[in-house]
Amino acid sequence: MMKRIVLGSLLAPALAIAVPTAALADMASDVSAVNRGWAHITYEVKGSSTQTKALDQLAKEAATVVARYPGQAEPLLWQGIIVSEQANRANFFHKLGLATKARDILQKAYSIDPKAAQGGAAMSLGVLYYKVPGSPLAWGDGDKAGRLLKQALALDPDGLDANYFYGDYLLDQGDKAGARTHLQKALRAPRDPNRPVWDAGRRREVRALLAKAS
């Protein structure tokens, strides 16, 4: 993801559309498939070009899931995560455009349900706000990032991702001691048997970041 390139007007608050119980089960399955696809590409697929092509295909699949379940936060959340991953891997000329697209998608998910996926939308937005450069180059905002990441952490105080990203943010802000505290807490998070590829991959990233914070 690009590092440091002011937020314009936020999207108007959206309302979640009621979905029948059977459809909710289908939505959970479809979202889980996108989730697993992202983890596979991020942690198992080798080669930058191969990863980029796989992400492009997964982005199309994520958009299809969003269209299938309009007004739902979690499909939008995962579409935003995929697009932000595309921004992370894009060349200089496309990074900001993709990061802005991801921000707008995630903001829509957040507007529908700030607590969806245990604060996943707040967390993902927060990550974008401290990874993207601030004014005058772009719209990054460290203070806004901190508020969003703290909100996500309040919703999932013992979570692997919530502590990892808050630790990364603190390290970015120069707070090595605070970063170590949250990174160590991330490693103590319960393992997720339903997402083994993500769980193992993220813990490797936590350990690598912890080494930098030591």
Side-chain angles (χ1 to χ4, degrees):
M1 189 173 292
M2 61 196 310
K3 187 69 176 170
R4 298 281 180 226
I5 293 210
V6 164
L7 178 64
S9 60
L10 297 179
L11 298 178
L15 296 176
I17 297 173
V19 177
T21 301
L24 282 174
D26 291 340
M27 183 180 77
S29 177
D30 289 344
V31 169
S32 180
V34 174
N35 184 323
R36 291 194 305 272
W38 169 84
H40 170 65
I41 294 166
T42 302
Y43 297 117
E44 295 182 325
V45 172
K46 306 300 181 184
S48 177
S49 177
T50 304
Q51 286 179 323
T52 298
K53 290 177 181 177
L55 275 172
D56 290 345
Q57 179 59 40
L58 187 61
K60 294 176 183 176
E61 295 171 14
T64 298
V65 174
V66 168
R68 190 175 297 147
Y69 307 101
Q72 298 301 305
E74 290 206 27
L76 283 163
L77 167 60
W78 274 97
Q79 183 187 26
I81 289 171
I82 301 308
V83 176
S84 66
E85 190 66 41
Q86 288 180 297
N88 186 35
R89 298 171 186 278
N91 62 41
F92 176 81
F93 299 102
H94 294 101
K95 279 184 179 294
L96 182 57
L98 284 166
T100 302
K101 180 180 178 181
R103 179 202 66 187
D104 292 346
I105 294 168
L106 290 167
Q107 181 61 51
K108 188 173 182 180
Y110 181 85
S111 297
I112 292 169
D113 184 1
K115 297 181 179 180
Q118 293 181 289
M123 181 182 68
S124 298
L125 269 175
V127 172
L128 279 175
Y129 275 110
Y130 79 86
K131 293 289 189 181
V132 171
S135 178
L137 294 175
W139 42 262
D141 185 330
D143 291 339
K144 188 174 184 69
R147 291 193 297 271
L148 286 162
L149 290 166
K150 285 180 181 178
Q151 182 181 350
L153 194 62
L155 290 166
D156 190 19
D158 299 316
L160 174 55
D161 266 355
N163 281 284
Y164 166 69
F165 283 115
Y166 193 56
D168 186 40
Y169 166 76
L170 291 176
L171 187 59
D172 182 74
Q173 301 299 302
D175 183 359
K176 286 189 174 183
R180 287 195 298 270
T181 295
H182 285 278
L183 293 171
Q184 289 163 353
K185 191 171 184 180
L187 290 177
R188 294 195 297 271
R191 295 190 178 275
D192 189 342
N194 296 315
R195 301 174 63 194
V197 175
W198 160 80
D199 190 278
R202 183 67 83 210
R203 289 174 193 275
R204 288 194 298 271
E205 291 175 331
V206 173
R207 293 186 186 97
L209 195 59
L210 191 54
K212 291 182 180 179
S214 298

